[in-house]
Structure formats: C-alpha cells, structure tokens
Amino acid sequence: MPLLSNTRIMRIEWADCDPAGIVFYPRYFEMFDLSTTMLFEKALGMKKINFIKAHNFGGYPMFDTRARFFKPTTFGDVVEIASSVTFGRTSFDVEHRLTRDGELCVEGFEKRVWVIRDPSDPTKIKSHPIPREVIEKFEM
Amino acid sequence: MPLLSNTRIMRIEWADCDPAGIVFYPRYFEMFDLSTTMLFEKALGMKKINFIKAHNFGGYPMFDTRARFFKPTTFGDVVEIASSVTFGRTSFDVEHRLTRDGELCVEGFEKRVWVIRDPSDPTKIKSHPIPREVIEKFEM
Amino acid sequence: MPLLSNTRIMRIEWADCDPAGIVFYPRYFEMFDLSTTMLFEKALGMKKINFIKAHNFGGYPMFDTRARFFKPTTFGDVVEIASSVTFGRTSFDVEHRLTRDGELCVEGFEKRVWVIRDPSDPTKIKSHPIPREVIEKFEM
Amino acid sequence: MPLLSNTRIMRIEWADCDPAGIVFYPRYFEMFDLSTTMLFEKALGMKKINFIKAHNFGGYPMFDTRARFFKPTTFGDVVEIASSVTFGRTSFDVEHRLTRDGELCVEGFEKRVWVIRDPSDPTKIKSHPIPREVIEKFEM
C-alpha cells in the first residue's frame, strides 16, 4: 500500500549560498529536516510542536543520513522537494528528491529512530515501536 | 576600576561567507555571542554550561544588539575580537571590536538582561540583579 | 508620500531555535535580510538575482543594523514580518516589525548602502546614488 | 603507504545546539567540511584561499556525504575530529571520526571531486585528475 508523501516548493536564498554562489551543502540537510517535519505534520494533521506535546513522544533523532549531489542550485532557484517514508519497527527511512524544473539536483536519505521519554526518568529517551496509529495516518 | 576584558583570535571560514565572498553579517552576531560567553567564562573561571548549572542562573538573554560594518572580511582572514563589559543593576552592555591587522572591521554592541529561574515556576525566567560576586570576578 | 511596504508570514522552525527552545537571535537577522530582499523584489517586480544581473548593481551591503527583543518566539510559532523603507541619497533604512498574533516580538533596523561595480575595476564596488527609477517603484 | 591525517579539538557551542539541547545534525557537516579544509591545509602547507588562488583549482565539490550518529553531543563538550583521506583518480574520500573522551559519537564520510576552471570558460568548472604533487604532499 503506498504511503502518504509530501512535496513542497521552496526558493533557494542568498543565506543558503557560499562563496561559490551555490548552496552550502549542510543547508540541504536543514531543508530535508524541515521536509520530514512537514511530511509528518501533513500525515498527523498537527504541528510538530503539538505531536511532541500530545504524546509521550520524544522525537525522531537521526541515526544515519546521506545526500548525493548531482547539480548545484543557486539563490533565486525555485526547487521542489518530494519526501516519502518507509516504516520499520522502531525506525523509519525518509527519502528526499530535490529537483529544479524536473531535473534531479540532490537526493537525501535519512534513517531515524522513534523515541519516547523514559517513564522512569523523563529527562531520558529510549527507542520504542512506532505506534500503529501513527503509521495508519500515512496509509492512504 | 577597569573591568576584565577578553580578546580572542579566530579565522573566518568558508561556511561564514556568502556569494559575495564576504561574511554573511548574521554570522558576526553568532561570533559576538560566543565572544560574550568566552568573556564570562574567563572571568568566572568555569564553562557556561557549568555556571548555568551552578546557580539558579537562567542566562543573559539579549535585549538589544547592534553592529556597524566598516570593512568586509573574507574566508581565510585571521581576525581578533576584543570584548569588554559594563554592568548595570539587572542588565549589562558588551562591546565587541573585530579587527584585522589592527584595522577595525566590525563593531558590535549588546545589552543583555540577567535572569534567574522563577522560584515559583522553574520553567519561567525573570530578571534579577546581577550578583555582586559575579561583578567582582570582573574587577581586576 | 507613503512608500510600498511588505508583510510576509513565516513559521519559526526547529532549526531556528537554541537550547533555550527559542529563536537564536542571529537567525532574526537572517530573517530580516530575506524580508528586505522580498520588499525590493515586490517593488521592482523581479527577483534579486535578476536585478543584480539587470543593472550594474553591486548590492546593498549592510552598514549598520540593530534589533530589539521584546518577546521570545519558539518553533511552531507563526509570525508576521512587516518591512518598510526610507530612502536617503546613497543609503536607505529598513525597519522590520516581527509580530505574533499582533504582539510585537522583535524590531529590526538596517542602514544599507547602494553600491555599483566600479567601472574601472569590476571586482570592486563603490557607493552610488540610489537610481531615481528604483525609488519610483516604491512610490505608490 | 599511510597518508597524512589530521586531528583537531573543538568545543561544541550554544549556537550548534537545538531545542533538544544537542547538536543540530546539519552542523556536524559544517564541522566536517572545515576538518577537510584543515587536513588539506596541513598537507599542502597553505591556506585554502591560497591554494585556490595558486593553481587553476576550482575546489573539491561534494558528490556524496553521509554521517552516522551514535551518541549526541551537547554545548560545552570538548570533542576531537580525526580526518583521513583516500585518493582516487579524479575524486577522493574523507572519513571523519568525532569522539568525546575516546568514545565515538559521529562518523562522517565524504566523496569529493577535484575540479579545475574550464580553460575555455573560467566561469565553469570540470573534473580533473588530482595532481600528483597534491597526493605526494599527503605521503609521509
């Protein structure tokens, strides 16, 4: 069953670019982080700050991330980021494709872990199976 | 009585610069923020994370900050930031001078407020007179 | 005669915030820089990258900037930034008001200089009177 | 033959950390980018800005980068980043190990391409075999 995905359109800004006039690549990871947030917000129907408060949810810290760069992008470029997710038991993978005019510029991959606050010590977090009701919200 | 000041030497890096090849000015505020931390650490003889833990200290949020730009700096430049403080009752001013080879490039000003955690609600902060023993540490 | 102003709505994101859970203040300057770009783009009817290419325009480097902080903002907050400009001969001032639900949180001020590429050496810039046709575009 | 590597010690700062109080992971890529610069500067005996000027060198744009996160780090932490390189014909790999008190916190991988300015159009770059004299500088 295909899962909900999300596409957002954004513009590359001056602040994203380096002396070569192109996006300084760590900024792509910041863009992808926001894309993951927006994908979850779309599926869950609430802002990240609210689903953190709503549940005993501790977040989805990054375990492994990667990006491959095919074409540089520069300030003023309007780009599209399409993000899709695959769920494991306690972790999930997100794939991002950043395109400009349909041409692939950057591919991003993330493996994140679902964590909850430790009931015996709320300042700590521990991994936890992804709740069934979260996954169901992605099933279209 | 002159108060303790601090000078640090740093290098402008690629990541600090924009497509014009010069420091993207918001990064100067990040540099000055660290300079203020280093000035307090020098005076108090402990790392910021420790003086936050040591006292009921809630930090010194910025109330008003300003910078004036005389000469651009570029990656590879070695610059010096000299920082000095003036204490009020519940607030203090910091002045930063960023120079390259003795030439003034950027001047920064900060007015920060001393805050403590609210005893009746530790998730809140409120302004508080700067402790006498903090100021004494700056008196040489 | 009142000049064109611009208001944009944006959301504070996780990446903007620091360990205190609020916007790390240098990020406000980055937000204001983009607001100034958007104000000029609205008036001139073209993207910044295009008005840089269109004329012998070298940009509007910052000469003096300041911000005052009245209320912190946190991730998930939807804020509005209203920006207006006042023109001098070779410089201009921009004022930004960042509000949340109508309440003023941050005020920003900028003094920028209009520069062109030096005809005798295109790698250099020099200040220049703001073109009459630029100012006219702001006159409503 | 073992190649020159580089280890640098740095401190995690407030500006690097997010509302969870730990490093916002895109900042690790910025740290690794600087570590790669420092490794090349150590081998070549000159600052990056100088080896860009010295040769027809166009830089070493990132083609593929990855990081794995084992332990979070927080502001005030003193960490060590050890970086080593492996050369291919027109590309090279860099591996970074970020440790705190000897414990591995983050591992970074980079594949970068050696590029020169296109002789027929200096505004363009193209990949090029890594110069023999560059590789020799890494051979101890």
Side-chain angles (χ1 to χ4, degrees), chain D residues 5-12 16 23 27-39 42 73 77-84 94-110:
Chain D
S5 62
N6 189 51
T7 296
R8 69 184 181 105
I9 290 172
M10 58 166 290
R11 201 174 79 160
I12 304 298
D16 297 317
V23 171
R27 299 284 284 212
Y28 284 121
F29 289 96
E30 196 175 318
M31 295 171 197
F32 292 149
D33 183 60
L34 179 54
S35 287
T36 296
T37 296
M38 292 173 79
L39 173 58
K42 181 180 174 186
T73 62
D77 284 356
V78 174
V79 300
E80 205 176 281
I81 305 180
S83 307
S84 56
V94 187
E95 192 180 329
H96 305 283
R97 289 172 57 85
L98 187 152
T99 55
R100 182 186 48 214
D101 300 331
E103 186 183 41
L104 180 64
C105 298
V106 186
E107 245 180 0
F109 308 91
E110 306 177 350

Side-chain angles (χ1 to χ4, degrees), chain B residues 11 13-16 27 30 33-34 37-38 41 47-49 52 74-78, chain D residues 11 13-16 27 30 33-34 37-38 41 47-49 52 74-78:
Chain B
R11 198 172 81 160
E13 302 296 349
W14 180 266
D16 298 318
R27 299 283 285 214
E30 197 176 317
D33 183 60
L34 179 54
T37 296
M38 290 174 80
E41 292 186 337
K47 294 199 293 185
K48 185 184 184 183
I49 197 165
I52 285 179
T74 190
F75 71 100
D77 283 357
V78 173
Chain D
R11 201 174 79 160
E13 301 297 349
W14 180 265
D16 297 317
R27 299 284 284 212
E30 196 175 318
D33 183 60
L34 179 54
T37 296
M38 292 173 79
E41 292 186 336
K47 293 201 291 184
K48 185 183 183 182
I49 197 165
I52 285 180
T74 190
F75 72 101
D77 284 356
V78 174

Side-chain angles (χ1 to χ4, degrees), chain D:
Chain D
M1 187 165 40
L3 296 180
L4 188 75
S5 62
N6 189 51
T7 296
R8 69 184 181 105
I9 290 172
M10 58 166 290
R11 201 174 79 160
I12 304 298
E13 301 297 349
W14 180 265
D16 297 317
C17 296
D18 67 15
I22 61 176
V23 171
F24 183 52
Y25 69 90
R27 299 284 284 212
Y28 284 121
F29 289 96
E30 196 175 318
M31 295 171 197
F32 292 149
D33 183 60
L34 179 54
S35 287
T36 296
T37 296
M38 292 173 79
L39 173 58
F40 273 78
E41 292 186 336
K42 181 180 174 186
L44 301 186
M46 59 175 106
K47 293 201 291 184
K48 185 183 183 182
I49 197 165
N50 291 327
F51 60 80
I52 285 180
K53 286 176 185 161
H55 306 286
N56 191 30
F57 180 56
Y60 35 55
M62 188 67 80
F63 174 61
D64 189 345
T65 190
R66 183 181 177 190
R68 296 203 299 160
F69 309 94
F70 302 103
K71 295 276 174 185
T73 62
T74 190
F75 72 101
D77 284 356
V78 174
V79 300
E80 205 176 281
I81 305 180
S83 307
S84 56
V85 66
T86 315
F87 288 105
R89 204 181 72 88
T90 59
S91 71
F92 59 92
D93 296 310
V94 187
E95 192 180 329
H96 305 283
R97 289 172 57 85
L98 187 152
T99 55
R100 182 186 48 214
D101 300 331
E103 186 183 41
L104 180 64
C105 298
V106 186
E107 245 180 0
F109 308 91
E110 306 177 350
K111 183 180 282 299
R112 294 173 182 262
V113 183
W114 194 269
V115 301
I116 59 166
R117 288 176 204 291
D118 190 333
S120 62
D121 179 356
T123 68
K124 294 199 171 142
I125 55 174
K126 55 176 206 170
S127 79
H128 189 268
I130 302 167
R132 184 66 229 157
E133 64 269 26
V134 167
I135 297 176
E136 275 166 5
K137 293 271 178 57
F138 282 86
E139 292 168 352
M140 296 180 295

Side-chain angles (χ1 to χ4, degrees), chain C residues 50-115:
Chain C
N50 292 324
F51 61 80
I52 285 180
K53 286 176 186 164
H55 306 284
N56 191 30
F57 180 56
Y60 34 55
M62 188 68 79
F63 174 62
D64 189 345
T65 190
R66 182 180 177 192
R68 297 203 299 160
F69 308 94
F70 302 103
K71 294 275 175 186
T73 62
T74 190
F75 71 101
D77 284 356
V78 173
V79 301
E80 205 175 280
I81 305 179
S83 307
S84 56
V85 65
T86 314
F87 288 104
R89 206 181 70 88
T90 58
S91 70
F92 59 93
D93 295 311
V94 188
E95 191 181 330
H96 305 283
R97 289 173 56 85
L98 187 151
T99 55
R100 183 187 47 213
D101 300 332
E103 186 184 41
L104 181 62
C105 298
V106 186
E107 247 180 358
F109 308 92
E110 306 177 352
K111 183 178 283 297
R112 293 173 183 262
V113 183
W114 193 269
V115 301

Side-chain angles (χ1 to χ4, degrees), chain A residues 11 13-16 27 30 33-34 37-38 41 47-49 52 74-78, chain C residues 11 13-16 27 30 33-34 37-38 41 47-49 52 74-78:
Chain A
R11 200 172 79 159
E13 302 297 350
W14 180 267
D16 298 318
R27 298 284 283 213
E30 197 175 317
D33 183 59
L34 179 53
T37 296
M38 291 174 79
E41 292 185 338
K47 293 201 292 186
K48 185 184 183 182
I49 197 165
I52 285 179
T74 190
F75 72 100
D77 284 355
V78 173
Chain C
R11 200 173 79 160
E13 302 296 349
W14 181 265
D16 298 318
R27 298 284 284 214
E30 196 176 318
D33 182 61
L34 179 54
T37 296
M38 291 174 79
E41 292 186 337
K47 293 200 291 185
K48 185 183 184 184
I49 196 166
I52 285 180
T74 190
F75 71 101
D77 284 356
V78 173

Side-chain angles (χ1 to χ4, degrees), chain A residues 24-91:
Chain A
F24 183 53
Y25 69 89
R27 298 284 283 213
Y28 285 120
F29 289 97
E30 197 175 317
M31 296 173 197
F32 292 148
D33 183 59
L34 179 53
S35 288
T36 296
T37 296
M38 291 174 79
L39 173 59
F40 272 79
E41 292 185 338
K42 181 180 174 186
L44 302 185
M46 60 175 104
K47 293 201 292 186
K48 185 184 183 182
I49 197 165
N50 291 326
F51 61 78
I52 285 179
K53 285 176 186 161
H55 305 286
N56 192 30
F57 180 56
Y60 35 55
M62 189 67 80
F63 175 61
D64 189 346
T65 190
R66 183 182 177 190
R68 297 202 301 159
F69 309 94
F70 302 103
K71 295 273 174 187
T73 62
T74 190
F75 72 100
D77 284 355
V78 173
V79 299
E80 205 177 281
I81 305 179
S83 308
S84 56
V85 66
T86 314
F87 288 105
R89 204 181 72 88
T90 59
S91 70

